[in-house]
Structures are given as structure tokens and as C-alpha cells.
Amino acid sequence: FFYPSLFAFDGQAIFETVEKSETRIYLNIGDDGTNLFRDLLSQFYAIGPYILNSTYFYQSYYNASLNSAISQLREQLQVVISMGEYFDHAYYGIAHTKEGMRRKIPVLAANPASKLNYDDKEVPIFIVGNGPSLDSSIDAIKEWQGQAIVVSCGTALQAISCNGIHPDTCDLYKDVLIAFKEGESSTISALNVLGRKNFTMLLNAFPTVSNFVIDLFSTIGFTSIYLIGVDLGFVDVKHHHSKSSGYYQEDGKETYDFTKSANTSLIVPGNFRPTVNTKHEFKVSRQVIEQVTSAKPKGQAFYNCSDGAKIQGALPIGLDELLIVATFEQKVQAIKKLKVSIFSTKGLSNYSEKFKNVYSHDVLVEELEKFE
């Protein structure tokens, strides 16, 4: 389609017009639609995602797979608008990252998978979300916790974060490990100072904490990743998170009317049942997880033990069917390597001075005065 179009319109006139008006034209060629979101996102970031508010789609011919891709794209871009950065978020994120570097909090190093051996990678990762099926999964988590690394996500408990975390929050924990997340001003500014080649940037770490953790452990290279309580949907819209979490009071009643504040009327295929209800953000979250599972390294497997939405590329498996052969010693060794070599303080010295050299405060003031 692109090639014959070169004979059908005056390309030179279009490019000259674009050049004169100092606007942009992007040609995304050779894609079936599966890369459309990432391609467009990088283009929106280049000019500022606020432009999304006045974006229009025009589809010149019918194509079934492209129709589906554009439909998904609309949903994903809505989440980008609602979860995108604003000035305060960027300002504080950069400041927190600078302080984290000063305190030498270890950061996810480049090529993390190369730092683990076969036995390390074999240790199962239990990624625990705060979905309603967590309530019936606690016993299995306790049963296998000696052989698996258990990672809690967000409101499921506490504990993992990206580079925007407040440094004083870090002081509340025995160990703190930081990863760079794509699309954050704090990530872009830090990697411009430190250099990209020594660190890993997570590309699919949004919009939920579960997405962050799934992308993190897939990138590190563990071969068996189990999703527990990562429901991303509801069998019963009144039971939308674990009843032991802050979403419910001690008497079991909701802390607030969840279905009123979030549209939970969307229907998607279920993991252990034909369909479940979900909300818009969870639908996008599932699609981003599917980007990770479809691009997973060779030998890596995802198992979905959650009674929620079906996730392509994650094998549905009941918790009573688990068979884990990793030993406690393997788990201890893998955690040790996470703390010592996967996350590193190498290259973080004198970060504040390096930052000042790259981002001059005086130049910023001068530029802002010109803006005014």
C-alpha cells in the first residue's frame, strides 16, 4: 500500500509543506498494528502527550486486524492521558532520584539475565496482586514460600518501587532496590547523566504495580513466573480486591463504592471461567502484560493462577496443581545475587555534580525568562 501510494500523490509537495510549516509527518510502515501503540507513544512523547486531546483517527480502508489494533490503541492512549506526567510529578521524581543516587540506592544494572546461572533462574517467582482470588490463595503462598521468591504488588502489601520513590520511604525498609521505568522524566534525566549502556530501562512497567513487577522479573530472566491474585477482573463486582486489604472494613463492607467510582461493566474472557467483569485500566494492564509474555526470552514461562481475566501467553494453572522443585538454598542464593549484582551502585558516585553539568540551573532560569 505504501509503495503504490508513492505513484498516486505528490509526495514532494506534501514534504515541502511540512518543512515550511515546521510540522512533522511520521510514516510507520510494515506493521500489522501490534507495534502501533509503542510507535505512536514515542512520537507523542517527542512532541508532548498533551496533543492526544486533539488527536483524530482516519482509517482509509477496512482491515480486520488493523481495526482491532486501532480499537486497543484508543483505550491505551486514554490511559496514557490519565496517567501521564504533570509538572509536579516530574519535578519531585527528578529530585527524589537525585537524592536516591546520593544515598547510593542500588539500581537495576544492564543485562541482568547474564548475571544469573541456570539454578538461580529456576527459582519460581510468585507475583502477588491484590485481586479477590488472593483470599483463596494465601495457603498455597505459605506452603511454597520457602522455595519461591514472593513479590507483593502495591495494595497486596508493600515493597517494590521505581526511581520516583521518596528517599525517606526507602529508610523504612531493610533493603531497597530501584529500577528505571520508561516514560518518566526522572528516568530520562538520570540516564542522560549516567549513560544508558550501564543500566536497564523497563519498557512495559505501566499502568499497575503488577505490570511493573512482571516486566521487572521477566527482564531479569527468571524462567517460572506465577501470577497470583493478578485478577485484572472480577467474578463478583462487589468482591473487587482482597477482603483483607484497605478496600474493605473489618466487618467486610466496602470502604467506598468501588463500582460507582470505576466502570466495571466491561466483559472479557476469564482465566478459569468463560467471562469476568473488568474496568478500563485493568483491560489495558492485561494488554501490556501480554506484550511482555509475547516477547518473553526463550525458556521463560508464565503461569496464571488467578481467578480473573485470561492473559494470552500465561498458562492457566490451579494452585493445587503446582509442582515446584527449586530448593530453599537456591532461593537464598538467587536473592543474594539480586541484591549484590543484579542491582548495582556502580557509576552512581558524584551524581549531583554530574547532573549540574548536564542540567544547568542558570540556563533553565534564562530559558524560562525568555518564555515569560
Side-chain angles (χ1 to χ4, degrees):
F1 275 93
F2 173 68
Y3 182 70
S5 76
L6 297 176
F7 298 88
F9 68 89
D10 185 355
Q12 184 173 341
I14 289 175
F15 288 125
E16 284 174 354
T17 304
V18 166
E19 189 87 4
K20 278 180 198 159
S21 58
E22 295 187 340
T23 53
R24 300 167 184 235
I25 185 165
Y26 293 99
L27 303 172
N28 296 23
I29 305 165
D31 181 27
D32 62 357
T34 51
N35 298 292
L36 195 56
F37 174 59
R38 188 153 297 288
D39 289 344
L40 273 183
L41 199 56
S42 64
Q43 290 157 13
F44 279 123
Y45 279 140
I47 55 175
Y50 57 84
I51 204 79
L52 282 167
N53 279 332
S54 50
T55 297
Y56 298 86
F57 287 100
Y58 173 69
Q59 196 174 346
S60 59
Y61 70 97
Y62 180 84
N63 175 308
S65 59
L66 198 58
N67 280 10
S68 169
I70 287 174
S71 173
Q72 285 188 23
L73 180 69
R74 284 175 185 277
E75 293 180 346
Q76 290 169 325
L77 291 178
Q78 282 174 24
V79 171
V80 170
I81 288 181
S82 63
M83 299 193 69
E85 282 200 296
Y86 48 93
F87 180 84
D88 285 4
H89 182 274
Y91 178 83
Y92 288 118
I94 291 168
H96 294 167
T97 300
K98 280 170 73 176
E99 178 60 17
M101 298 294 172
R102 190 187 70 76
R103 297 186 190 186
K104 295 221 173 134
I105 296 171
V107 180
L108 183 61
N111 303 314
S114 65
K115 297 174 175 65
L116 295 177
N117 62 31
Y118 178 82
D119 282 351
D120 300 327
K121 290 179 182 178
E122 215 180 25
V123 175
I125 306 294
F126 282 9
I127 293 177
V128 182
N130 191 28
S133 71
L134 175 59
D135 291 338
S136 58
S137 308
I138 297 293
D139 289 343
I141 295 169
K142 287 179 178 175
E143 181 185 348
W144 296 108
Q145 66 179 343
Q147 294 155 267
I149 296 174
V150 181
V151 189
S152 67
C153 299
T155 50
L157 186 63
Q158 304 170 326
I160 260 188
S161 188
C162 56
N163 46 301
I165 189 174
H166 195 291
D168 291 347
T169 305
C170 298
D171 291 343
L172 301 172
Y173 295 90
K174 187 174 68 175
D175 298 298
V176 179
L177 307 168
I178 295 290
F180 286 121
K181 173 176 168 243
E182 187 191 39
E184 304 271 330
S185 300
S186 48
T187 293
I188 295 163
S189 59
L191 291 180
N192 281 348
V193 173
L194 295 168
R196 292 173 182 268
K197 67 180 187 300
N198 298 321
F199 301 92
T200 296
M201 181 167 67
L202 301 177
L203 303 179
N204 296 294
F206 64 96
T208 71
V209 189
S210 296
N211 289 96
F212 172 70
V213 176
I214 288 166
D215 197 20
L216 174 65
F217 281 94
S218 176
T219 302
I220 291 173
F222 285 94
T223 53
S224 299
I225 299 175
Y226 295 84
L227 310 181
I228 302 171
V230 184
D231 293 6
L232 304 177
F234 330 105
V235 176
D236 172 5
V237 292
K238 285 291 178 189
H239 188 190
H240 42 79
H241 289 81
S242 166
K243 293 244 174 148
S244 302
S245 69
Y247 286 90
Y248 293 90
Q249 299 168 19
E250 285 184 19
D251 61 3
K253 289 181 182 171
E254 290 181 283
T255 308
Y256 66 95
D257 190 337
F258 185 80
T259 51
K260 195 174 179 181
S261 64
N263 178 8
T264 58
S265 62
L266 295 171
I267 307 291
V268 293
N271 191 40
F272 294 131
R273 57 189 74 232
T275 60
V276 293
N277 284 61
T278 191
K279 63 174 186 166
H280 182 70
E281 292 83 357
F282 284 172
K283 191 176 176 187
V284 173
S285 171
R286 192 200 77 230
Q287 290 165 353
V288 175
I289 291 172
E290 289 173 349
Q291 289 178 7
V292 176
T293 58
S294 66
K296 64 191 175 191
K298 190 179 178 184
Q300 189 173 78
F302 285 84
Y303 302 98
N304 190 358
C305 309
S306 316
D307 190 3
K310 182 179 179 63
I311 297 171
Q312 297 292 340
L315 184 70
I317 184 170
L319 286 166
D320 54 346
E321 299 172 46
L322 297 190
L323 182 62
I324 292 171
V325 294
T327 64
F328 175 72
E329 289 72 24
Q330 274 178 269
K331 172 187 169 172
V332 170
Q333 184 62 24
I335 290 176
K336 186 179 176 184
K337 286 198 180 173
L338 275 174
K339 293 178 181 178
V340 173
S341 56
I342 300 292
F343 291 82
S344 167
T345 57
K346 189 179 175 185
L348 303 186
S349 300
N350 305 318
Y351 179 81
S352 293
E353 289 75 14
K354 292 175 188 170
F355 190 93
K356 279 179 193 167
N357 291 336
V358 177
Y359 298 102
S360 162
H361 183 73
D362 294 338
V363 172
L364 175 64
V365 170
E366 187 185 324
E367 287 180 350
L368 289 176
E369 283 171 350
K370 284 178 181 171
F371 264 128
E372 287 182 332

